[in-house]
Amino acid sequence: MPSYTAPTKDMQFILHDVLKATEQNIPGYDELDPDFTSAILEEAGKISSEVLQPLNTVGDTEGCVLENGVVRTPTGFKAAFEQMKEGGWTALDCDPEYGGQGMPYLMGTAVGEMFVSANMAFNMYQGLTHGAYSAIHAHGSDEQKQKYLPKMVTCEWTGTMNLTEPHAGTDLGMMRTKAEPQDDGTFKITGQKIFISAGDHDMAENIIHLVLAKIPGGPEGIKGVSLFIVPKFLVNDDGSLGARNGVSVGKIEEKMGIHGNSTCVMNYDEATGYLIGTEHKGMRAMFTMMNEARLGVGLQGYAQAVVAYENALAYANDRLQGRDVTGVKNPDGPADPLIVHPDIRRNLMDQKSFVEGARAFTFWGAHLIDRHVRSHDDDAEGLISLLTPVIKGFLTDKGFENAINAQQVYGGHGYIEEWGMSQFARDARIAMIYEGANGVQALDLVGRKLAQDGGKHVMAFFDMVKSFIKENAGNEDYDKAFLDPLKAASKDLQAAGMYFMQNGMKNPNNALAGSYDFMHMFGHVCLGLMWARMGKAAMDALEAGASDTEFYEAKIATGRYYMARQLPATAMHLSRIETGADTVMALDAANF
């Protein structure tokens, strides 16, 4: 059976050595001293390992069941959800005006990683609720906020997002779900939505669906889409629950993974809906939810790699196979442990350097969101908007890849269900697809985000990298191990951007054919920047006489590995990009 131990020490390192949380001029960050954050992380880690992780296999094997129109969650889920609610974990970074604890999004992200690593399918119930809460909080009327948010903050009521239809996934402008206006200001919602995570379950007394639909007579395509609150049970003026709304579950989808989450087909039959914001401006409101969700999905990608790595490492230390070619390391046993072999070390170092870099990258992204929301920093908003498709696309691609790498350490045992490694790979796989498949993320990055505000934000990113290198140069060992590779990778990224500028206008396919490589190149540069920051923080700690020398030395060694073995991939991606679209588009469709 797999296990999970929360990496609280590494999280503390990022919060305090790297991000220097208490030194940031962001409201609420002054409270994030090491003792405070340690208490929260340790308690969340305990719940993750003792309550959520043991239910992960249960959810995978039992799945959810639809009985007489009601979805039943796996054994133990309901009791665990009550424990999460009672502990206030669902309200950690929500607005105190509606019952939240008001902590920075950064802390919600750190705790969220643990919950996802321990039980991704379970955490999705509250994760989707948080996204729906954010959309209503940002775009709902005062009346809507007062009516729905307090119960959503506590997860007495949960939330969903309803976008996809059988014939309309990425191209939401093709949706057919209708919203007919009524004399009382409400709308009658009719249509079918598919792939709705946490669409129905038995852990909350009401479910608040956010549904995209078209009001007849509106503009064609995506410009005619509006967003509606459609509760499972109507809510009376006094906050009590009224009649069942015209929404039902058609079926539970049978999926490759995340079996513990009820992914539903939802049928709307003249269900009563309430418009959020302005008619035909639904995508603006929904993107509040989707952008948060995309950072959360990037977190899911690397969080599955975290738990997979932990178990692969334990197995590599325990499993005896073969002898070290440089000399016996376990003379009292029949063989040496797997971890003595260089290729196993390479595999584990690939995993370790990725998950620690990805954690720093995601925490930094959460910090940028806090800078924007709490300090009204427009530059931070522009930067996180640029980086969101990179966080989502790169971290989920690599997260799945490293879950597979962890499975590989086990050999044949990794393919046998009793060891539990396949669940991490199966659960991680969805993160590459939902909230916008990764190819769409790459198109968004190259087609929209690079040129946003005249290219201001990508230029600011390059300036930030350049400034970091200039400000921290001077130590020959550090420069060679960290700064020189970062400089080379950043130049590759700039060269790719220049290629798009010079060739994309006359033939847009030249840019689009290279978009996926560009997303991965950008991801590597971001992790390179994170490792340069972490390497510097670790060296500074050692120079200051830190007692835990082993931790900081391991951090430096892991960073050196990433810079030497992973970051050079930017040159490969640049070479691919510069071949243009001719080879990609050479075949006629009939010749594939």
Side-chain angles (χ1 to χ4, degrees), residues 16 84 98 137 149 177 187 218 339 382 478 492-493 525 557-558 584 589:
H16 302 294
M84 296 287 282
Y98 305 104
H137 189 272
L149 294 188
T177 300
F187 291 78
I339 200 165
Y478 175 72
D492 286 343
L493 187 62
V525 172
T558 307
V584 175

Side-chain angles (χ1 to χ4, degrees), residues 524-547:
H524 278 298
V525 172
C526 288
L527 260 64
L529 176 61
M530 293 301 105
W531 273 116
R533 288 178 171 177
M534 289 190 285
K536 183 66 168 60
M539 288 181 176
D540 289 346
L542 290 173
E543 287 181 16
S547 58

Side-chain angles (χ1 to χ4, degrees), residues 30-148:
D30 57 329
E31 299 177 4
L32 301 182
D33 63 75
D35 289 341
F36 178 73
T37 58
S38 176
I40 293 171
L41 296 179
E42 292 297 332
E43 190 61 30
K46 188 184 300 182
I47 291 172
S48 298
S49 60
E50 296 177 4
V51 178
L52 302 186
Q53 192 278 329
L55 295 175
N56 199 36
T57 303
V58 176
D60 188 51
T61 53
E62 287 189 15
C64 297
V65 179
L66 179 60
E67 294 178 346
N68 300 320
V70 178
V71 174
R72 307 294 180 192
T73 50
T75 303
F77 270 45
K78 196 169 184 178
F81 203 62
E82 289 301 315
Q83 197 167 337
M84 296 287 282
K85 290 190 283 188
E86 289 168 7
W89 294 106
T90 64
L92 204 66
D93 59 348
C94 295
D95 189 341
E97 185 175 345
Y98 305 104
Q101 298 182 43
M103 290 187 200
Y105 185 65
L106 175 60
M107 289 307 298
T109 299
V111 169
E113 181 199 313
M114 299 184 208
F115 293 164
V116 171
S117 288
N119 196 326
M120 176 171 158
F122 177 92
N123 191 67
M124 289 170 64
Y125 292 99
Q126 68 184 39
L128 269 295
T129 305
H130 193 287
Y133 152 87
S134 295
I136 297 173
H137 189 272
H139 301 284
S141 66
D142 289 341
E143 180 187 357
Q144 289 171 337
K145 287 189 256 190
Q146 292 296 336
K147 178 176 279 192
Y148 298 106

Side-chain angles (χ1 to χ4, degrees), residues 284-330:
R284 178 172 171 267
M286 185 57 88
F287 265 106
T288 297
M289 190 171 181
M290 289 179 69
N291 285 332
E292 177 183 310
R294 284 172 176 172
L295 189 138
V297 171
L299 183 149
Q300 286 180 334
Y302 87 79
Q304 288 303 287
V306 168
V307 66
Y309 164 70
E310 281 190 12
N311 285 276
L313 175 61
Y315 188 83
N317 277 302
D318 290 342
R319 176 75 167 174
L320 303 182
Q321 292 285 284
R323 289 295 188 187
D324 188 337
V325 295
T326 64
V328 173
K329 294 296 188 292
N330 180 32

Side-chain angles (χ1 to χ4, degrees), residues 443-486:
L443 296 180
D444 177 47
L445 175 64
V446 170
R448 292 179 63 244
K449 298 300 175 62
L450 289 185
Q452 195 170 21
D453 296 329
K456 170 184 174 182
H457 306 300
V458 72
M459 294 309 298
F461 176 82
F462 288 133
D463 288 343
M464 181 178 59
V465 173
K466 187 184 298 183
S467 296
F468 179 85
I469 292 171
K470 184 177 181 180
E471 291 166 8
N472 292 281
N475 178 317
E476 184 177 352
D477 183 45
Y478 175 72
D479 292 356
K480 184 177 180 181
F482 289 93
L483 297 187
D484 290 351
L486 177 60

Side-chain angles (χ1 to χ4, degrees), residues 2 15 62 88 94 159 162 164 191 214 273 281 289 338 345 397 423 448 466 469 479 481 509 514 545 590:
L15 291 175
E62 287 189 15
C94 295
N162 287 235
T164 307
K214 288 186 172 180
K281 301 294 183 183
M289 190 171 181
L338 279 173
R345 290 288 187 97
D397 275 355
Q423 184 185 353
R448 292 179 63 244
K466 187 184 298 183
I469 292 171
D479 292 356
N509 281 343

